[in-house]
Amino acid sequence: MRKSGECVFSHAVTLAFCDPFTVATPNAATRTGALDSNVWSVSRTNTLTNWTQGEENYWKSATLVGCGADQTVNAPNDVQICNGRLFEAVSDGAGQSTLAMYPKQPFDIAARTGTVVFDVSADSAGVHNAWPEFWWTDQPVPAPHGHLSAQDPYAANSFGFSIAGCDGNQTGVDKMMITQNFAYTTIPFTSLGCVTKGSPTGGLNHFEVRISQTHVEVWASEPGSTVVKEIAFSDYTLPLTRGVIWMEDVHYNACKPGFGTPQCDHTFAWDNVGFDGPTPYRDLTFDVPDAADPAAGGLNLSYRVTTNPTAVTAPGVYWNQAPTKQFVAFNWFSWEAAVPSVRVNGGQWHDTPWPFDSETFVWRTIAVPVPMSEVKPGNNMIEFKFSGANGTTVANVNLILIAAGPVP
């Protein structure tokens, strides 16, 4: 084993990124909880069987296990660091939810095989419960995938897999997926075995993902070990060579009776997220704070948008070097097949043609390009309007400056 910081690779690598989650860095102005908001971004979506609540992105209070005594937490404090691990808790409220976390630095596999490593308490009770997912997307769009019919945001180009396979006390890969030009498909893969489930307060499973543009291997360990074995692979041409990696916690109405161990209120622990390769830059992203309107047992996190503009603020914007691209990125609940219009600091309205399939009544995700001339240091006003008859809601709004910072 080769150990780079606390991130373990089974072969020699040129380390590009590693976070061992040793220090909590809370910033109340962001959605990242205890994660360092200079390095990480966090997004949350939930849609309930009660669609009135679902369109408001209702985020239920959860029970976080592993940081001392069990505690009831609300967003963004549902993401905590203690005992050298990252803990995040989600209670899906009988809906379909995604909590997604990504480091703001690209993973690049151009002309090579790259490697991503992470540890997680991979203890899913199956696909009608809660499970971890790994994603790699060409743009840093929030909550890039939710796996299910009402949670299919679909990044433009991406690759991912879910860890909800096998039976009993075993777990493994149950699905591999890509999106290409916003079109989603599952891809064929070969399952080679399973590993014993980890635990958020016990041993974690160590994962190693080896990716080239035409071949992916997933390796995993027994809980508490770093000795990995190959558990799945796919020979498929991926639609990207550079993008950001995502650690996701996905739920599907996990309280529903008859689907194994209920995990509707569940904690996953993560550790030692890292990858190899070049270190060209870091993106700078600036969170618009959640709406955080109180609701019974939780918060409504999104903003209502109609034909009258809704204004929000991305605070503290800066850049260390000239960005290569600028985006306003967000999720919205698509009652209709239309994308909200966006403008920054009173500039022109930016309209985006609908790029997805015809399905509506789902969360979507997008990055709308804006010119640098409309961005300014300090607080930036972002406005949304929506011409559809039913209106919509937007969540997880970010102003993103690509390559605006060097890698420390």
Side-chain angles (χ1 to χ4, degrees):
M1 290 291 166
R2 306 285 181 150
K3 192 170 184 179
S4 298
E6 295 298 322
C7 297
V8 176
F9 297 77
S10 62
H11 53 283
V13 300
T14 300
L15 184 67
F17 177 85
C18 177
D19 196 334
F21 304 122
T22 55
V23 179
T25 315
N27 182 346
T30 72
R31 298 188 300 268
T32 55
L35 284 166
D36 185 348
S37 60
N38 295 307
V39 180
W40 289 86
S41 184
V42 177
S43 45
R44 301 166 179 85
T45 58
N46 190 26
T47 182
L48 305 181
T49 52
N50 181 333
W51 291 103
T52 301
Q53 288 182 304
E55 69 171 320
E56 302 299 336
N57 200 17
Y58 175 62
W59 198 258
K60 189 175 174 62
S61 303
T63 304
L64 188 133
V65 176
C67 287
D70 294 358
Q71 53 188 295
T72 300
V73 292
N74 290 312
N77 297 320
D78 49 6
V79 177
Q80 296 191 14
I81 291 175
C82 63
N83 305 319
R85 290 180 177 177
L86 168 68
F87 295 84
E88 47 84 8
V90 173
S91 180
D92 61 46
Q96 300 174 16
S97 64
T98 298
L99 187 151
M101 307 171 288
Y102 86 94
K104 305 175 185 182
Q105 182 176 320
F107 169 59
D108 193 306
I109 64 161
R112 72 183 193 97
T113 296
T115 304
V116 178
V117 295
F118 59 90
D119 302 340
V120 65
S121 53
D123 64 348
S124 173
V127 293
H128 216 302
N129 281 274
W131 62 89
E133 289 192 6
F134 167 85
W135 279 92
W136 180 42
T137 66
D138 64 336
Q139 294 178 328
V141 288
H145 188 257
H147 198 79
L148 300 158
S149 59
Q151 279 278 62
D152 281 339
Y154 298 162
N157 298 286
S158 63
F159 162 77
F161 63 87
S162 50
I163 308 170
C166 307
D167 297 314
N169 196 38
Q170 300 282 299
T171 193
V173 175
D174 71 298
K175 187 177 287 188
M176 290 190 182
M177 302 149 277
I178 67 165
T179 60
Q180 189 164 15
N181 295 324
F182 296 101
Y184 165 86
T185 186
T186 58
I187 63 174
F189 76 97
T190 300
S191 176
L192 299 174
C194 308
V195 292
T196 305
K197 294 177 180 178
S199 164
T201 57
L204 305 185
N205 302 98
H206 178 63
F207 282 81
E208 184 167 298
V209 189
R210 304 174 188 173
I211 307 176
S212 73
Q213 198 169 11
T214 57
H215 181 76
V216 177
E217 298 174 0
V218 180
W219 296 64
S221 78
E222 293 297 305
S225 173
T226 55
V227 178
V228 292
K229 66 177 183 180
E230 189 176 5
I231 62 170
F233 73 88
S234 179
D235 292 302
Y236 200 89
T237 299
L238 304 185
L240 70 165
T241 60
R242 175 180 287 186
V244 294
I245 64 167
W246 293 82
M247 312 290 114
E248 288 197 352
D249 174 345
V250 180
H251 283 229
Y252 176 31
N253 190 2
C255 283
K256 189 172 183 178
F259 288 91
T261 304
Q263 293 181 316
C264 56
D265 190 347
H266 187 68
T267 298
F268 284 112
W270 303 80
D271 207 354
N272 304 323
V273 175
F275 53 83
D276 70 351
T279 54
Y281 55 79
R282 274 192 185 159
D283 302 329
L284 297 180
T285 74
F286 304 92
D287 287 358
V288 169
D290 288 324
D293 296 325
L299 300 168
N300 289 329
L301 299 182
S302 62
Y303 295 89
R304 184 73 178 165
V305 175
T306 63
T307 54
N308 295 318
T310 297
V312 296
T313 300
V317 174
Y318 71 95
W319 51 93
N320 302 120
Q321 57 194 32
T324 58
K325 296 178 183 178
Q326 306 75 228
F327 298 107
V328 174
F330 57 95
N331 296 104
W332 81 104
F333 197 82
S334 58
W335 290 92
E336 302 162 71
V339 181
S341 300
V342 179
R343 71 176 176 182
V344 179
N345 294 320
Q348 69 176 19
W349 285 102
H350 302 286
D351 299 321
T352 305
W354 179 259
F356 305 101
D357 57 33
S358 61
E359 185 177 14
T360 55
F361 295 94
V362 297
W363 281 104
R364 298 293 191 181
T365 189
I366 204 159
V368 176
V370 296
M372 191 61 194
S373 59
E374 295 178 0
V375 179
K376 66 179 183 179
N379 294 343
N380 283 245
M381 182 177 68
I382 300 172
E383 292 177 278
F384 296 92
K385 66 178 181 179
F386 188 75
S387 59
N390 295 312
T392 187
T393 54
V394 298
N396 303 310
V397 181
N398 287 95
L399 181 59
I400 299 176
L401 307 181
I402 300 296
V407 176

